[in-house]
């Protein structure tokens, strides 16, 4: 495989990061050299923005939060994603533009058209070839997060209604672009989820 952009989306505790790591390991076993990255983050500048955004001691307003996310995205796309894809690598990204539409749009209540315009500017029009959406009841996801090591981040502490809006918007986005999204029941055992991820990737390779 070459020049393939795959994103992993979902709510808190959905297991997307675990599945990304599993897919990366399987690709490496087959001789690929995937770029594994995340949003916000993936570059020194963007990682600094990530630390600010997720710090429970800080509380940027919704508008500032969205603009910081887009700044991190622009840096990641320009300095990491586009060069890797141009070199023919597989890129696996933990969150991307869809997360802004879900979290800052549905979660924070910002205008979706404005956010879409910001996304277009920050990404330069770069869209994923495939997006996995790990769908899970937010309550289950937050319970998983509570059991995980480390302290809760700022998003973990949002009320249940916030997370319900985020999940609903993710599902709306998937329905709007069924050719790009693969919606996965993230409540199932991780091995079952991993098999579905690999099968979807195989199907994309066959279509290509």
């Amino acid at each position: 495989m070459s020049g393939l952009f795959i994103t992993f989306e979902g709510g808190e505790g959905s297991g997307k990061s675990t599945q990304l790591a599993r897919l990366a390991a399987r690709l490496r076993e087959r001789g690929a050299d995937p770029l594994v990255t995340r949003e916000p983050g993936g570059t020194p500048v963007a990682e600094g923005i990530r630390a600010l955004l997720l710090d429970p001691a800080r509380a940027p307003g919704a508008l500032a939060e969205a603009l910081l996310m887009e700044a991190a995205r622009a840096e990641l796309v320009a300095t990491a994603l586009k060069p890797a894809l141009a070199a023919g690598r597989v890129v696996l990204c933990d969150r991307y533009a869809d997360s802004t539409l879900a979290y800052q749009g549905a979660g924070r209540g910002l205008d979706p058209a404005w956010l879409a315009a910001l996304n277009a500017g920050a990404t330069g029009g770069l869209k994923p070839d495939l997006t996995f959406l790990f769908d899970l009841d937010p309550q289950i996801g937050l319970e998983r997060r509570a059991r995980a090591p480390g302290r809760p981040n700022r998003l973990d502490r949002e009320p249940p209604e916030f997370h319900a809006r985020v999940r609903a918007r993710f599902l709306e986005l998937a329905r709007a672009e069924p050719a790009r999204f693969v919606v996965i029941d993230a409540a199932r055992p991780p091995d079952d989820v991993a098999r579905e991820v690999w099968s979807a990737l195989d199907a994309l390779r066959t279509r290509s």
Side-chain angles (χ1 to χ4, degrees), residues 1 23-32 34 90 92 198 201:
M1 292 184 298
L23 179 58
R26 192 163 183 180
L27 289 171
R28 292 188 189 104
E29 289 171 359
R30 284 154 178 77
V90 178
L92 307 179
W198 187 254
L201 183 54

Side-chain angles (χ1 to χ4, degrees), residues 57-136:
R58 301 179 186 273
L63 177 59
E65 181 182 80
L67 292 172
L68 286 166
M69 288 293 306
E70 297 294 353
R73 179 167 299 130
E75 179 74 5
L76 178 67
V77 169
T79 64
L81 301 191
K82 286 186 174 179
L85 292 167
R89 295 177 70 186
V90 178
V91 172
L92 307 179
C93 192
D94 189 340
R95 299 202 182 282
Y96 191 57
D98 296 305
S99 276
T100 292
L101 300 176
Y103 279 85
Q104 282 71 51
R108 301 290 187 215
L110 295 179
D111 177 48
W114 180 72
L115 291 172
L118 287 180
N119 278 343
T123 65
L126 178 64
K127 294 193 70 171
D129 299 294
L130 176 64
T131 296
F132 291 109
L133 172 57
F134 297 88
D135 181 51
L136 184 68

Side-chain angles (χ1 to χ4, degrees), residues 9-19 133-153 156 184-193:
E9 299 283 9
E12 308 305 307
S14 61
K16 61 181 175 49
S17 303
T18 297
Q19 293 300 326
L133 172 57
F134 297 88
D135 181 51
L136 184 68
D137 182 326
Q139 185 60 41
I140 296 174
L142 292 172
E143 289 171 359
R144 288 180 178 179
R145 290 284 292 164
R147 295 193 299 269
R151 64 174 184 169
N153 65 42
D156 295 334
I184 292 177
D185 178 0
R188 293 179 302 148
D191 287 346
D192 292 349
V193 173

Side-chain angles (χ1 to χ4, degrees), residues 169-195:
R169 181 59 55 84
F170 271 132
L171 291 171
E172 288 175 8
L173 294 169
R175 286 193 293 270
E177 291 190 69
R180 174 166 69 89
F181 275 87
V182 174
V183 180
I184 292 177
D185 178 0
R188 293 179 302 148
D191 287 346
D192 292 349
V193 173
R195 280 190 289 271

